Amino acid sequence: MYTAHPDRYAEMPYRRTGRSGLKLPALSLGLWHNFGPDRPVETQRAILRRAFDLGVTHFDLANNYGPPPGSAESALGEALKADFAPYRDELVISTKAGYLMWPGPYGEWGSRKSLLSSLDQSLSRMGLEYVDVFYSHRPDPKTPLEETMGALHTAVQQGKALYVGVSNYSPEQTREAARILAELGTPLLIHQPRYSMLDRRPETGGLLDALDELEVGSIAYSPLEQGLLTGRYLNGIPEDSRAASDSPFLNSDAVTEELVGKLRGLNEIAGSRGQSLAQLALAWVLRQGRVTSALVGASSPRQLEDSVAAIGNLDFDADELARIDKIVQG
C-alpha cells in the first residue's frame, strides 16, 4: 500500500496559473511516451509515486497518449485506483482532445461532438468523475471557434472539468478563444505551447506577450526538445536514442554537427552552474516566471529525479543568458 511522503511539499515551488486560484508545480509530469503497454506497469507506477513524493502534483495527458491511443489514460486510471485514491484532491489531472483518436469524421479536431465524446471516454478510462483541466489540443480550421470553446464551456457546466485550456493555438487564436470563453463565463486558464531553448516561437511570435496581457497561465511541452537537451547527443546519435529510431518526432537528420556544437556549448554553461544540460534547459524555460510550469517525461524514477533537481537553481544572471543566446542563435 502506497503512502505519500510526508514532506512532499517541502521543496517544489508552486506558481499561480494566470489570474486563477490554481497553483501548479514548477515541473509537471507528462504521460506522453512512457505509459503504454510496452512499458512495465510497475515502472509506470514507480514514476508516478516518485513524482508525487517530490511534489509533482500535476499529471498531464491527452486522449491519444500511449501508444496505443488511450493507453496512458488507462494506465493512470489503474494507478489512481491502486495508489492515489486518498490523494485525488491533491492532484491536478489534465487531458486533451483534438488529434486523431478513433476512425471517422468525429475522431479528431474541434467539433462539439468530438470534444465532449472524447472527454467522456477519457473520464471512463481514468475512472474519474472530472478532470481538473480539459484542453482543446489544437485549433480546428474548419470548425467555428465559438463551437470549440462552447464545448469546453459545456464540459465545465456539466461538472466534467474544473478549468479549460488550449494548446498549439497562435497568439491571435488564443486572444479570440479567451474572448469567447470570457463571454460564456468560463475563463481561459492556460495555454500549452511547445517551448525550449532551441524552439523560441512562443517568445518570438508573441504568444508569451499575449498570455501576459490576458493573464493566462502557460505550461511548456518539449522543454528538452525531444531529448536533444538531455545530454544524450553530445557525442552524436546513440544507437538506442529517439533520433536513431523511426520516431516521427525526431530523426537523425536533425542532429547535425552544428547542433552538436551548440549542445556542447550549452553543456559547458550547465556545468558552470552545477547542473546537467537537462536541468539547465528546464531552468531556462522557467526563468523570470513567465511560464507557469514545464512538462517533463520520464522513463524511470531516477530520470524524473534528475529533472526535478532543476528547481535547485532557477536563477540566471545577464551574462549566462547572453551566452546561451549567443550559442543558440549562432
Side-chain angles (χ1 to χ4, degrees):
M1 180 61 135
Y2 166 69
T3 300
H5 197 287
D7 295 328
R8 57 191 175 276
Y9 297 113
E11 301 295 335
M12 177 63 67
Y14 297 87
R15 297 178 171 185
R16 189 171 298 278
T17 311
R19 64 176 179 273
S20 78
L22 183 68
K23 293 182 178 181
L24 292 180
L27 293 175
S28 298
L29 180 64
L31 278 67
W32 184 12
H33 285 305
N34 297 308
F35 287 82
D38 59 332
R39 306 283 180 165
V41 171
E42 191 51 45
T43 300
Q44 297 175 12
R45 288 179 58 185
I47 293 168
L48 292 166
R49 291 192 296 258
R50 188 63 182 136
F52 191 55
D53 284 346
L54 291 170
V56 178
T57 54
H58 179 208
F59 299 156
D60 178 81
L61 300 100
N63 57 356
N64 63 336
Y65 285 0
S71 59
E73 289 180 329
S74 296
L76 180 64
E78 292 300 315
L80 291 173
K81 183 167 55 177
D83 294 329
F84 295 100
Y87 306 107
R88 172 62 183 99
D89 293 336
E90 296 182 45
L91 291 170
V92 174
I93 298 172
S94 61
T95 197
K96 315 175 197 72
Y99 283 95
L100 182 62
M101 183 60 191
W102 64 84
Y106 317 118
E108 61 179 327
W109 296 110
S111 71
R112 180 178 182 84
K113 178 172 177 58
S114 178
L115 292 178
L116 294 178
S117 297
S118 179
L119 178 56
D120 284 342
Q121 292 180 20
S122 292
L123 292 174
S124 177
R125 281 189 290 269
M126 293 186 284
L128 294 174
E129 296 181 356
Y130 70 93
V131 290
D132 296 276
V133 188
F134 181 48
Y135 288 86
S136 168
H137 206 166
R138 61 172 170 171
D140 183 344
K142 296 185 179 180
T143 297
L145 194 56
E146 288 82 0
E147 179 175 341
T148 300
M149 294 304 106
L152 298 184
H153 170 67
T154 295
V156 173
Q157 294 297 104
Q158 291 177 339
K160 296 177 181 178
L162 300 185
Y163 302 92
V164 299
V166 297
S167 181
N168 300 305
Y169 278 52
S170 71
E172 294 74 22
Q173 291 166 330
T174 302
R175 286 190 172 93
E176 183 63 6
R179 183 193 66 78
I180 295 168
L181 285 168
E183 290 182 355
L184 292 171
T186 297
L188 178 62
L189 174 81
I190 194 167
H191 189 298
Q192 187 172 134
R194 179 168 179 158
Y195 182 43
S196 74
M197 286 195 293
L198 300 178
D199 186 348
R200 303 188 178 196
R201 285 174 291 177
E203 284 182 22
T204 58
L207 178 62
L208 292 184
D209 291 337
L211 298 179
D212 287 344
E213 294 167 15
L214 295 168
E215 296 183 277
V216 169
S218 59
I219 179 166
Y221 75 87
S222 292
L224 302 180
E225 201 61 29
Q226 293 296 319
L228 289 175
L229 292 168
T230 62
R232 295 203 71 198
Y233 298 90
L234 294 173
N235 297 303
I237 303 175
E239 290 184 2
D240 61 344
S241 67
R242 186 172 296 168
S245 70
D246 57 356
S247 171
F249 305 107
L250 180 66
N251 59 58
S252 58
D253 293 341
V255 188
T256 62
E257 289 186 16
E258 180 185 7
L259 175 61
V260 171
K262 291 180 179 182
L263 297 178
R264 289 173 178 169
L266 293 171
N267 191 55
E268 289 181 8
I269 296 175
S272 70
R273 289 168 50 86
Q275 292 181 313
S276 66
L277 178 56
Q279 291 164 355
L280 172 75
L282 294 170
W284 184 89
V285 165
L286 293 168
R287 76 199 189 287
Q288 301 171 341
R290 296 190 79 187
V291 170
T292 312
S293 184
L295 278 167
V296 296
S299 58
S300 68
R302 183 173 180 177
Q303 186 180 45
L304 178 70
E305 290 166 358
D306 182 74
S307 293
V308 171
I311 66 175
N313 186 6
L314 298 179
D315 296 324
F316 290 83
D317 61 37
D319 178 65
E320 287 174 326
L321 291 174
R323 289 167 61 200
I324 290 170
D325 289 347
K326 184 177 180 179
I327 290 170
V328 171
Q329 297 168 5

